[in-house]
Amino acid sequence: MKKLFTLLTLLLCTLGGAQTLTGKLVNPLKGMKGMDIAIWPLGLDRSIFIGQLKADGTLEFTFPPKDSFLSKNEEQQMVVSDVKYALAFNCLGQGEAMYPEIMAARINPISLWYKGRYAGVLFPVTSEDMIPWLEDEAYNNPEKGTFYELIYVDQATTLTMQCTTTYQFSGDVVEATYDYQLELEAGLNFIAYTIEEIFETDPKITSFKPSKVTVKNIREGLDGIQWFAKYF
């Protein structure tokens, strides 16, 4: 009896640990039906459902276990690389930048599916003005604020450091600083990229560039995010 009670307790703890994150869509369609929220990691042979968009515009995210990202088809596995390449901002080639030696993947976009068909994409931001840059950063200028992405890591890790790197665009030399405050769990994580400063390049050569960015992961909730959808 004691063993049975212990087993049930462990089971309840496991079920209770499955966290559901919620948000609210800014621009739901009139008369919108419920949709699935999904991602399709590069290389994988299928999409992975990570939540639902309700008819009232409520978004509910429930991340699947890590094993969901494995395929039975050995030739169509998710493409992963060093975690430094999976981050939207990194200091590659800088001697002082020490990234964890784990495998990861940048997951983009977060898509909407309706009755098994691709129906749109989600843009989680703090300002709608950031969306043009997220769609095409080569021709559109960034805005100060925060945008959010998903990252997959194959094991839990911590990354707390600051690094500085330089980029050169013709006559412009951009010095960028990235401050990482990450405590990532194995599997999917929401990452918040906050653009605090922007370097104004020659607009005839290239778009403006983020020059100071803080990188954190979301641990508790999705408060403060504006969820915009583009429908197809």
Side-chain angles (χ1 to χ4, degrees), residues 97-146:
M98 298 297 292
Y99 294 92
E101 294 182 358
I102 64 170
M103 304 305 288
R106 185 178 178 185
I107 308 295
N108 195 37
I110 303 172
S111 59
L112 296 174
W113 290 69
Y114 179 66
K115 293 186 176 181
R117 298 184 64 180
Y118 194 44
V121 295
L122 292 173
F123 289 92
V125 292
T126 53
S127 170
E128 187 176 9
D129 294 337
M130 303 183 77
I131 294 178
W133 176 75
L134 291 172
E135 292 181 305
D136 191 342
E137 63 182 63
Y139 291 96
N140 297 312
N141 293 325
E143 297 284 340
K144 291 183 180 180
T146 303

Side-chain angles (χ1 to χ4, degrees), residues 172-186:
D172 290 325
V173 177
V174 181
E175 184 176 276
T177 300
Y178 308 134
D179 183 8
Y180 302 100
Q181 302 171 31
L182 296 173
E183 295 180 8
L184 304 175
E185 299 179 356

Side-chain angles (χ1 to χ4, degrees), residues 5 7 79 84 165 209:
F5 177 77
L7 179 61
V79 176
K84 59 188 175 184
T165 188
K209 306 300 177 187

Side-chain angles (χ1 to χ4, degrees), residues 9-60:
T9 301
L10 289 172
L11 179 59
L12 288 172
C13 289
T14 301
L15 293 174
Q19 185 181 22
T20 298
L21 300 173
T22 61
K24 191 73 173 180
L25 195 63
V26 175
N27 59 335
L29 293 172
K30 185 177 181 179
M32 183 177 67
K33 304 295 184 181
M35 300 187 196
D36 292 316
I37 306 172
I39 54 175
W40 198 313
L42 181 64
L44 201 62
D45 57 353
R46 69 189 187 284
S47 60
I48 296 176
F49 293 97
I50 60 171
Q52 289 186 320
L53 169 60
K54 305 293 186 180
D56 66 354
T58 300
L59 298 152
E60 292 184 354

